[in-house]
Amino acid sequence: MTFSKIGFIGLGLIGGSIAKRLKVLWPELTIVALASHETTITKAYEEHLISNKKSCAIEDFFDCDYLFLCAPVQKNIEYLRELKGNIKDSCIITDVGSVKTDIHREITALGMEEQFIGGHPMTGSEKTGLDNANAFLLENAYYIITPTAVTAEKTLHAFHELVIALGAIPMILPYELHDYATAAISHLPHVIAYSLVNLIRNCDDENETMKTIAAGGFKDITRIASSSPIMWENICLSNRDPLLKLLDAYVEELRRMRRHIDNADGSALLEAFHAAKDYRDSLSLTKPGALKNIYELYLDLLDEAGGIATVATILASNHLSIKNIGIIHNREFEEGVLHLEMYDEASLASAIALLKKHHYTIYER
């Protein structure tokens, strides 16, 4: 791959993770960036991630080989208008937004189709910002590529290879299909999660009973409601038509379920639940892609001082690192009071064997 300078407009979770991965792969690569918060630029410079001490001006991106637009969707479109005429002809602009139609239409209107390839890394977290970025965030995640009607084959191939180098799995789609598919499997679930949290917030009593006893099921389905509100405002407005169509379909599905419950139609409910379970179970969690494997176990733990520390010490003394650890306060749908998440399958298997050897009762999901 032949490039020496790459620019970033926006250096948050996704942009920062791509930049960090690039630095791992090509330590001598020059990376420059613009960010809405000057503290982000300062931090990135101090970490030797970028070469500029202060946020770049648009003109500073002129000689970049690639330019990643990592700001919110509508802001990316505003930056495009400033970039026209301020970058070299061979520079390829790409974005990481989860909505593609608006930016592709703007690219066409600006006459910049030969210089643009849309991109959407299907990874992320409810956590945001450069502090949460890491060089492996894109590992084994689908990275949707949406070329324009005039993207040169050579240019597309080079970007395809770059995506592979980032550790992601490239998938080329028309931008319209991308937007409808992501509205269904990403944007609609976020709207549902935000709406469900607001429903519980409005229905809860003055003692916050519902909030206090919120179980694993509620927390699992609403985890994504901790994502950036500004980002999701942008996404919903940018992908308005596909999202509205799917929202209408979802509301009708809820009405259907309500009728089954209202009519005490157990057979219809059972059929709906079985159909949903069969489809959900058919989603492979073992193949690489947007759904990441979770290597977790649960165990019983006596309520005594040092209990958690003892478990951690047993694992650490055998060179096993814990990715995440937590106490299960509501166990309505869980067995085991302590939840451990490991980094990989081998570590999980070793941890289970080791803890069983020390007479802990283990529950696997």
Side-chain angles (χ1 to χ4, degrees):
M1 297 182 193
T2 55
F3 48 80
S4 58
K5 184 177 180 180
I6 293 183
F8 286 84
I9 294 181
L11 205 61
L13 178 69
I14 301 298
S17 295
I18 294 173
K20 289 183 177 184
R21 178 65 174 173
L22 289 169
K23 270 297 187 181
V24 169
L25 296 171
W26 297 283
E28 302 305 315
L29 175 68
T30 297
I31 298 178
V32 294
L34 177 160
S36 56
H37 300 291
E38 198 63 34
T39 52
T40 300
I41 296 298
T42 301
K43 180 177 177 60
Y45 178 77
E46 291 173 349
E47 292 180 359
H48 306 291
L49 183 61
I50 61 175
S51 61
N52 53 297
K53 291 184 179 180
K54 294 185 178 180
S55 211
C56 286
I58 290 296
E59 295 78 14
D60 297 325
F61 295 113
F62 177 82
D63 58 344
C64 286
D65 300 299
Y66 283 101
L67 178 55
F68 284 83
L69 302 179
C70 306
V73 176
Q74 293 302 321
K75 289 295 292 182
N76 283 340
I77 291 174
E78 292 176 21
Y79 282 120
L80 275 177
R81 296 163 187 158
E82 296 183 54
L83 288 166
K84 183 175 172 60
N86 284 309
I87 53 171
K88 64 181 182 180
D89 292 341
S90 60
C91 176
I92 298 301
I93 302 172
T94 186
D95 74 320
V96 298
S98 65
V99 181
K100 304 262 75 81
T101 298
D102 283 359
I103 197 164
H104 270 273
R105 287 176 177 170
E106 186 65 23
I107 282 290
T108 301
L110 291 170
M112 299 173 70
E113 289 180 286
E114 291 184 2
Q115 287 187 273
F116 182 77
I117 299 175
H120 177 202
M122 298 196 70
T123 185
S125 166
E126 68 276 12
K127 297 178 180 179
T128 59
L130 182 62
D131 286 340
N132 295 298
N134 70 80
F136 303 102
L137 187 69
L138 277 70
E139 193 77 26
N140 288 326
Y142 285 122
Y143 196 122
I144 310 300
I145 299 172
T146 59
T148 71
V150 299
T151 301
E153 190 66 32
K154 181 180 178 181
T155 302
L156 181 58
H157 176 75
F159 187 70
H160 189 276
E161 292 300 302
L162 177 58
V163 168
I164 292 173
L166 293 173
I169 302 168
M171 179 184 291
I172 300 173
L173 292 176
Y175 67 83
E176 301 95 336
L177 175 57
H178 166 277
D179 281 2
Y180 189 72
T182 54
I185 56 92
S186 177
H187 308 164
L188 178 62
H190 275 81
V191 171
I192 293 169
Y194 281 115
S195 301
L196 182 56
V197 171
N198 282 330
L199 173 68
I200 298 303
R201 179 176 60 85
N202 293 331
C203 291
D204 210 352
D205 59 30
E206 60 184 12
N207 296 318
E208 295 189 326
T209 302
M210 295 181 188
K211 181 179 180 180
T212 302
I213 66 172
F218 177 78
K219 289 182 178 178
D220 286 346
I221 200 172
T222 60
R223 174 184 57 81
I224 53 178
S226 292
S227 303
S228 166
I230 295 173
M231 179 180 74
W232 281 99
E233 176 202 14
N234 267 266
I235 289 171
C236 288
L237 296 180
S238 296
N239 209 23
R240 184 171 173 267
D241 290 343
L243 185 54
L244 285 173
K245 185 181 296 185
L246 287 157
L247 270 170
D248 288 343
Y250 181 67
V251 168
E252 182 52 42
E253 183 64 27
L254 285 177
R255 289 198 182 102
R256 187 178 300 110
M257 295 298 288
R258 189 190 187 284
R259 287 195 295 272
H260 296 334
I261 296 171
D262 186 38
N263 296 332
D265 192 342
S267 61
L269 284 171
L270 193 60
E271 181 181 348
F273 293 156
H274 270 304
K277 182 183 185 304
D278 290 344
Y279 187 80
R280 178 61 179 82
D281 289 348
S282 73
L283 300 179
S284 172
L285 297 179
T286 57
K287 69 180 180 181
L291 292 172
K292 299 298 186 71
N293 292 338
I294 299 176
Y295 306 103
E296 61 184 3
L297 63 92
Y298 296 75
L299 67 148
D300 286 333
L301 191 67
L302 294 177
D303 186 12
E304 58 184 17
I308 296 176
T310 300
V311 171
T313 300
I314 290 170
L315 297 178
S317 62
N318 286 269
H319 310 291
L320 294 171
S321 298
I322 299 171
K323 182 178 182 180
N324 201 0
I325 187 168
I327 296 291
I328 306 299
H329 290 291
N330 185 317
R331 298 172 65 190
E332 182 180 2
F333 302 106
E334 308 282 7
E335 291 177 300
V337 69
L338 185 67
H339 171 229
L340 297 177
E341 185 179 350
M342 310 303 289
Y343 281 93
D344 53 45
E345 189 173 6
S347 297
L348 177 63
S350 297
I352 291 171
L354 190 60
L355 292 171
K356 283 183 177 179
K357 182 179 177 181
H358 283 79
H359 307 295
Y360 288 94
T361 301
I362 306 296
Y363 305 96
E364 299 177 58
R365 298 290 183 265

